């Protein structure tokens, strides 16, 4: 999945969860964390030579479970009022990244059970040989055409971006309305 789509899915999830859960003054913090960490695992792309080779430990659940637990435990001492919000934001954002990468995998899957089982999991067939290109060539052909071949997945990803833009525009519109009513 492309980074912009990860950010979109993080924004949608953050909005939905923060709407249903009582987060009070930490609502914004929670959404920012979910969006940030729904993108963050792809940092390993900076250090990878190819698209298909960019899944490091940042793309494994065990890493993010450990990080979230550490944030929760350390936070109890240093920021006890919001340690659970921060830990949940990081956990949900990062795992949403893994789930959406698993759904939309084209060249590399997710190692759900790393380090116990190093098998790659993916929803549709993957073609690692198509991903032997540098990350920055993802938006050019032939990779782009290959990426669009699975219309269902491409539509799903495009749809996420549309929904995120819709929510964002609605929010901007509402805040304009509130401002003018003041
Ligand atoms: Zn990824």
């Amino acid at each position: 999945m492309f980074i912009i789509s990860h950010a979109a899915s993080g924004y949608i999830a953050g909005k939905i969860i923060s709407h249903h859960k009582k987060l009070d003054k930490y609502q914004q913090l929670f959404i920012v964390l979910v969006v940030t960490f729904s993108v963050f695992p792809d940092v390993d792309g900076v250090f990878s030579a190819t698209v298909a080779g960019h899944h490091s430990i940042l793309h494994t659940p065990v890493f993010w479970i450990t990080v979230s637990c550490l944030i929760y435990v350390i936070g109890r001492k240093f920021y006890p009022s919001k340690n659970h919000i921060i830990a949940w934001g990081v956990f949900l954002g990062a795992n949403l990244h893994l789930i959406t990468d698993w759904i939309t995998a084209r060249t590399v899957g997710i190692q759900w059970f790393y380090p116990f089982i190093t098998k790659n999991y993916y929803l549709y067939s993957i073609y690692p040989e198509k991903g032997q290109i540098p990350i920055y060539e993802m938006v050019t052909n032939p990779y782009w055409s290959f990426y669009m071949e699975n219309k269902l997945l491409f539509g799903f990803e495009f749809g996420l971006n549309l929904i995120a833009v819709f929510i964002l525009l609605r929010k901007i519109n509402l805040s304009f309305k509130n401002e003018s009513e003041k």
Side-chain angles (χ1 to χ4, degrees), residues 1 6 38-39 41-44 54-55 59 97-98 101 110:
M1 184 181 251
H6 280 302
S38 67
V39 170
D42 275 349
V43 162
D44 59 11
H54 89 277
H55 280 192
H59 277 82
H97 183 109
L98 304 187
D101 263 5
I110 294 291

Side-chain angles (χ1 to χ4, degrees), residues 92-110:
L92 287 169
N95 282 289
L96 181 65
H97 183 109
L98 304 187
I99 292 167
T100 46
D101 263 5
W102 167 71
I103 294 171
T104 64
R106 304 293 206 287
T107 60
V108 58
I110 294 291

Side-chain angles (χ1 to χ4, degrees), residues 68-108:
S68 309
C69 288
L70 283 175
I71 290 171
Y72 184 81
V73 173
I74 295 167
R76 270 162 80 164
K77 185 169 167 56
F78 296 104
Y79 39 90
S81 62
K82 53 186 173 189
N83 70 320
H84 61 293
I85 306 253
I86 298 176
W88 267 117
V90 171
F91 180 85
L92 287 169
N95 282 289
L96 181 65
H97 183 109
L98 304 187
I99 292 167
T100 46
D101 263 5
W102 167 71
I103 294 171
T104 64
R106 304 293 206 287
T107 60
V108 58

Side-chain angles (χ1 to χ4, degrees), residues 3 39-51 53-60 64 97-98 101 108 110 135:
I3 281 188
V39 170
F40 192 83
D42 275 349
V43 162
D44 59 11
V46 177
F47 307 104
S48 173
T50 64
V51 171
H54 89 277
H55 280 192
S56 72
I57 193 151
L58 295 183
H59 277 82
T60 63
W64 293 107
H97 183 109
L98 304 187
D101 263 5
V108 58
I110 294 291
I135 298 281

Side-chain angles (χ1 to χ4, degrees), residues 3-48:
I3 281 188
I4 183 95
S5 315
H6 280 302
S9 59
Y11 183 62
I12 296 166
K15 272 284 187 189
I16 292 171
I17 296 165
S18 66
H19 189 72
H20 290 286
K21 261 191 158 304
K22 269 194 152 188
L23 299 170
D24 300 324
K25 59 181 174 175
Y26 297 124
Q27 190 185 20
Q28 294 291 5
L29 171 70
F30 179 78
I31 294 172
V32 167
L33 281 168
V34 176
V35 173
T36 305
F37 284 87
S38 67
V39 170
F40 192 83
D42 275 349
V43 162
D44 59 11
V46 177
F47 307 104
S48 173

